[in-house]
């Protein structure tokens, strides 16, 4: 009889909580959105289905808590951390190892930046450097969301992690949150990637509200050609300058620029292709599994999560508005030669934000082609968000 009762007690169904059911539904919703509407499917699909799996009781695939206040002598070493967690929480599951070895150690976010660098063409920004100012202006969304989070009662580290959502850069959000506030990693990651996929819905109303039809019809001069030498020197100089001025941003910017140098050098095409395809695919899988494993009922179903999702909207909207308003300022300074809409592309959802700007321009004037001009602030936003994250780390980390 005792053996039969022990067997019954191992049935996960008997340990299923209301929270588990809710999170299973949330996970399936993410899967549905990824498949049905193709909303960031490369990440929302693995995140969603992993969220379902980790909320099945007694599965043993994720046994350790997401955020633990480790003793100082333990946190300094990943091996000590794993030993400590094993002693206190039992043998690790697969997702525990993925999260603690690959995500929490920043391996995956940094490798994703390496792949992004190999995929990114900084030519439009090099051709018209002043557009980088609009990418910087869009970072206002980070600080508005951060201050709003502070007002709602989040601590400084959590507020910085929430604010960085406004940069519309998922890997940077994960990188910073893992270091400063791992307890809200799942919520910030889901907010960042969900709203990135909603950029075509979030940005147009804001852009149209802040610009006139005449402004949206402004045609910009064709960008000058960028030499190969410029493209090779840019990642080297950027890495050195930012590494010296903001050392905390060096890992992100360094990996981004190394990947870009692989692309632009022209002598390691095989490595560049591998970084863009095979490596990027592998680390994206691990990122999705690692983030999804943190979406457990006990840590995700909180009032904070709803607040973070709401703050994500504020971050994206204010970043878009900041870029457009600075674009209007530059339009006036240039005598009407700059289309203010390109400032909206300072939100570093590459290349989606730039495509949104081009689509709106085409609606007003089918012959107006400003996509490449919008790519300038778009890629500058990637650098800007990484620098802001580095500043936060230097001040808070």
């Amino acid at each position: 009889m005792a053996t039969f009762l022990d067997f019954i007690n191992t049935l996960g169904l008997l340990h299923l909580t209301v929270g588990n059911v809710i999170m299973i539904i949330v996970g399936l919703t993410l899967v549905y959105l990824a498949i049905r509407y193709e909303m960031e499917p490369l990440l929302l699909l693995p995140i969603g289905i992993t969220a379902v799996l980790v909320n099945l009781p007694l599965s043993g695939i994720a046994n350790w808590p997401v955020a633990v206040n480790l003793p100082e002598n333990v946190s300094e070493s990943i091996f000590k951390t794993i030993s400590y967690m094993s002693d206190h929480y039992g043998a690790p599951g697969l997702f525990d190892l993925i999260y603690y070895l690959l995500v929490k150690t920043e391996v995956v976010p940094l490798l994703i930046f390496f792949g992004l660098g190999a995929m990114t063409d900084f030519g439009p920004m090099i051709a018209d450097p002043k557009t980088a100012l609009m990418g910087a202006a869009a970072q206002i969304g980070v600080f508005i969301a951060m201050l709003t989070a502070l007002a709602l009662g989040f601590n400084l580290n959590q507020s910085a992690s929430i604010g960085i959502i406004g940069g519309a850069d998922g890997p940077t959000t994960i990188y910073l949150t893992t270091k400063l506030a791992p307890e809200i990693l799942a919520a910030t990651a889901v907010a960042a990637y969900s709203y990135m996929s909603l950029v075509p819905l979030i940005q147009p109303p804001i852009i149209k509200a802040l610009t006139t039809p005449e402004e949206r019809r402004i045609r910009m001069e064709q960008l000058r050609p960028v030499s190969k030498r410029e493209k090779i020197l840019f990642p080297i100089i950027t890495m050195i300058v930012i590494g010296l001025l903001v050392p905390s941003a060096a890992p992100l910017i360094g990996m981004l620029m190394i990947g870009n140098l692989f692309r632009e050098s022209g002598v390691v095409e095989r490595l560049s292709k591998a970084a863009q395809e095979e490596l990027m695919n592998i680390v994206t899988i691990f990122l999705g599994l690692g983030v999804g494993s943190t979406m457990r009922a006990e840590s995700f179903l909180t009032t904070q999560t709803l607040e973070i999702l709401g703050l994500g909207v504020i971050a994206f909207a204010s970043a878009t508005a900041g870029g457009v308003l600075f674009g209007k300022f530059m339009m006036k300074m240039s005598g009407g030669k700059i289309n203010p809409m390109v400032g909206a592309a300072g939100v570093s959802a590459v290349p989606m934000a730039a495509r949104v700007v081009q689509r709106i321009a085409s609606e007003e004037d089918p012959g107006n082609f400003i996509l490449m001009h919008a790519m300038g602030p778009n890629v500058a936003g990637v650098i800007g968000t990484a620098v802001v994250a580095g500043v936060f780390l230097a001040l808070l980390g």
Side-chain angles (χ1 to χ4, degrees):
M1 179 62 71
T3 302
F4 178 72
L5 291 178
D6 290 340
F7 170 74
I8 292 296
N9 195 48
T10 63
L11 296 178
L13 185 62
L14 298 180
H15 298 268
L16 196 67
T17 66
V18 174
N20 292 141
V21 174
I22 293 174
M23 287 309 301
I24 289 172
I25 294 172
V26 169
L28 292 175
T29 301
L30 293 179
V31 171
Y32 174 76
L33 293 174
I35 296 175
R36 178 67 177 82
Y37 296 103
E38 297 187 11
M39 291 176 56
E40 290 293 326
L42 295 180
L43 276 162
L44 289 192
L45 180 60
I47 288 175
I49 199 62
T50 302
V52 173
L53 184 55
V54 296
N55 281 283
L56 299 178
L58 307 182
S59 66
I61 199 163
N63 300 323
W64 296 350
V66 174
V68 177
N69 292 320
L70 298 170
E72 187 173 345
N73 65 324
V74 170
S75 60
E76 64 189 19
S77 166
I78 184 59
F79 301 107
K80 290 181 180 179
T81 297
I82 291 177
S83 177
Y84 177 91
M85 297 297 286
S86 297
D87 292 340
H88 287 75
Y89 301 103
L94 173 63
F95 290 158
D96 296 320
L97 295 176
I98 290 175
Y99 174 72
Y100 276 89
L101 288 174
L102 298 179
V103 178
K104 192 171 177 61
T105 57
E106 304 138 28
V107 171
V108 163
L110 290 176
L111 287 178
I112 283 186
F113 254 69
F114 176 66
L116 286 175
M119 298 168 66
T120 302
D121 179 9
F122 287 104
M125 189 182 73
I126 299 172
D128 191 5
K130 64 179 178 292
T131 60
L133 297 175
M134 288 182 273
Q139 304 308 311
I140 188 67
V142 172
F143 297 98
I144 290 176
M146 178 182 176
L147 294 174
T148 306
L150 281 171
L152 289 175
F154 289 91
N155 64 42
L156 195 54
N157 282 19
Q158 292 173 333
S159 298
S161 300
I162 293 168
I164 209 70
I165 295 172
D169 193 328
T172 304
T173 299
I174 292 170
Y175 180 83
L176 185 67
T177 306
T178 299
K179 280 180 167 291
L180 296 184
E183 68 277 7
I184 62 170
L185 174 62
T188 55
V190 170
Y193 282 109
S194 297
Y195 293 135
M196 279 174 63
S197 65
L198 292 175
V199 160
L201 298 179
I202 295 174
Q203 286 198 315
I206 299 170
I207 294 172
K208 291 179 179 179
L210 295 175
T211 58
T212 65
E214 291 74 20
E215 290 171 341
R216 296 195 289 272
R217 284 195 289 266
I218 292 176
R219 295 191 176 194
M220 298 179 66
E221 295 178 0
Q222 185 175 354
L223 294 173
R224 69 172 180 84
V226 178
S227 69
K228 182 177 180 179
R229 175 179 295 179
E230 289 177 290
K231 289 190 174 184
I232 291 175
L233 289 175
F234 176 79
I236 298 172
I237 294 173
T238 301
M239 178 173 60
I240 294 173
V241 171
I242 293 180
L244 292 174
L245 296 178
V246 191
S248 298
L252 287 173
I253 295 297
M255 293 302 288
L256 182 72
M257 294 305 159
I258 290 174
N260 188 248
L261 184 60
F262 277 28
R263 169 195 174 97
E264 302 298 351
S265 67
V267 296
V268 288
E269 291 185 15
R270 190 174 67 182
L271 300 184
S272 177
K273 183 175 180 293
Q276 295 178 45
E277 298 178 5
E278 291 87 355
L279 178 63
M280 197 65 167
N281 290 336
I282 291 170
V283 294
T284 299
I285 291 172
F286 282 124
L287 181 65
L289 296 179
V291 172
S293 70
T294 66
M295 293 180 63
R296 305 173 208 176
E298 61 271 18
S299 59
F300 193 84
L301 289 180
T302 64
T303 304
Q304 278 191 344
T305 298
L306 295 177
E307 291 175 338
I308 290 170
L309 293 176
L311 288 167
V313 176
I314 294 174
F316 269 67
S318 56
T320 300
V324 174
L325 291 175
F326 192 78
K328 289 173 74 76
F329 170 74
M330 292 189 68
M331 176 193 70
K332 294 185 180 299
M333 294 296 292
S334 66
K337 295 181 180 180
I338 294 178
N339 189 315
M341 288 196 302
V342 299
V347 174
S348 61
V350 182
M352 195 180 304
R355 289 174 178 169
V356 168
V357 170
Q358 174 58 46
R359 178 166 58 83
I360 298 174
S362 297
E363 290 173 358
E364 296 289 344
D365 177 5
N368 192 5
F369 189 76
I370 60 172
L371 177 63
M372 297 311 295
H373 297 87
M375 285 300 298
N378 207 188
V379 296
V382 178
I383 298 174
T385 303
V387 170
V388 171
V391 172
F392 284 162
L393 283 174
L395 296 176
L396 305 175

